């Protein structure tokens, strides 16, 4: 169990440490798509899957909180392209902000999430008392944290992962190598169908 705060938690938690942002990897949201590392999501799609506004997405990218790992914006007219894992992190950040966690602790948590392997992420639970974020990698650690009087709410990262996977399977994506739009079976996604017809 690790903590983003300064205080020690039950079970002897230690502070989370950030790491460089790694490119997205992991399972793609749709089985017949190209490999996940060859698929990206534009800003509006990332917003829809993470449940955030475009204004939040833009601000978080400009301030370095959650930057797109595939393609950043290079001035006017260029579009950011987010990887699947980026969208998972965006959704987690939204939940932490909604719970009142400080931006400083969220930044540390984001760096930590970026540094973890895919199997680690899907088994991880983030717990928070609203001020400090703790990582629990087993049910026993969650119980220890709760018995120690810490942890008011939890975020099961694996559940968020599957939720984002399900949402993105209905929204369009973009192949990184060709720029081709991958159209999904979402009746509301008329823009992606028009874009493909125009090519």
């Amino acid at each position: 169990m690790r903590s983003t705060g300064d205080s020690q938690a039950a079970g002897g938690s230690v502070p989370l440490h950030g790491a460089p942002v790694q490119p997205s990897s992991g399972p793609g949201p749709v089985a017949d798509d190209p490999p996940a590392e060859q698929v990206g999501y534009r800003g509006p799609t990332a917003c829809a899957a993470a449940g955030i506004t475009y204004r939040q997405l833009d601000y978080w990218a400009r301030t370095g909180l959650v930057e797109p790992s595939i393609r950043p914006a290079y001035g006017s007219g260029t579009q950011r392209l987010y990887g699947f894992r980026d969208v998972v992190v965006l959704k987690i950040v939204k939940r932490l902000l909604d719970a009142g966690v400080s931006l400083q602790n969220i930044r540390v948590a984001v760096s930590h999430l970026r540094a973890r392997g895919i199997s680690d992420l899907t088994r991880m639970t983030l717990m928070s008392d609203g001020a400090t974020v703790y990582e629990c990698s087993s049910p026993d650690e969650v119980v220890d944290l709760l018995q120690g009087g810490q942890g008011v709410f939890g975020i099961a990262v694996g559940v968020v992962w599957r939720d984002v996977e399900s949402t993105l399977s209905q929204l369009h994506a973009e192949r990184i190598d060709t720029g081709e739009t991958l159209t999904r079976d979402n009746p509301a996604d008329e823009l992606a169908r028009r874009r493909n017809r125009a090519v």
Side-chain angles (χ1 to χ4, degrees):
M1 179 172 22
R2 297 184 182 89
S3 161
T4 62
D6 297 328
S7 61
Q8 291 290 326
S13 62
V14 296
L16 297 176
H17 296 289
V21 173
Q22 298 297 319
S24 295
S25 59
V30 178
D32 59 345
D33 274 351
E37 61 274 3
Q38 294 179 12
V39 177
Y41 305 94
R42 291 186 179 199
T45 302
C47 289
I52 60 174
T53 66
Y54 193 82
R55 188 175 190 165
Q56 287 174 306
L57 181 81
D58 184 55
Y59 179 73
W60 295 350
R62 286 187 291 110
T63 59
L65 179 61
V66 183
E67 297 174 291
S69 62
I70 296 176
R71 183 175 64 219
Y74 295 110
S76 179
T78 61
Q79 298 242 352
R80 295 181 185 104
L81 204 58
Y82 290 83
F84 173 78
R85 190 170 171 160
D86 299 331
V87 181
V88 171
V89 172
L90 287 167
K91 192 170 184 87
I92 290 169
V93 167
K94 168 79 161 74
R95 290 190 178 181
L96 291 172
L97 282 172
D98 288 349
V101 176
S102 75
L103 197 55
Q104 178 182 353
N105 282 334
I106 291 174
R107 284 186 184 281
V108 175
V110 166
S111 294
H112 181 71
L113 289 169
R114 293 276 194 188
R116 299 306 294 259
I118 290 153
S119 60
D120 291 339
L121 284 180
T122 57
R123 291 190 310 254
M124 181 187 303
T125 299
L126 296 178
M127 301 289 291
S128 179
D129 55 10
T132 306
V133 180
Y134 303 93
E135 174 204 335
C136 300
S137 54
S138 73
D140 291 339
E141 288 183 349
V142 172
V143 170
D144 288 346
L145 190 64
L146 292 172
Q147 287 177 341
Q150 291 146 321
V152 173
F153 76 95
I155 300 172
V157 177
V159 172
V160 173
W161 185 284
R162 289 186 296 277
D163 184 40
V164 168
E165 222 172 26
S166 174
T167 303
L168 288 176
S169 71
Q170 300 174 39
L171 301 172
H172 68 279
E174 182 177 313
R175 285 188 63 113
I176 298 167
D177 53 353
T178 64
E180 171 193 4
T181 299
L182 303 171
T183 306
R184 309 290 194 222
D185 293 328
N186 183 351
D189 201 2
E190 180 61 27
L191 180 61
R193 282 191 292 282
R194 287 182 189 174
R195 194 178 296 129
N196 271 347
R197 283 196 299 259
V199 174

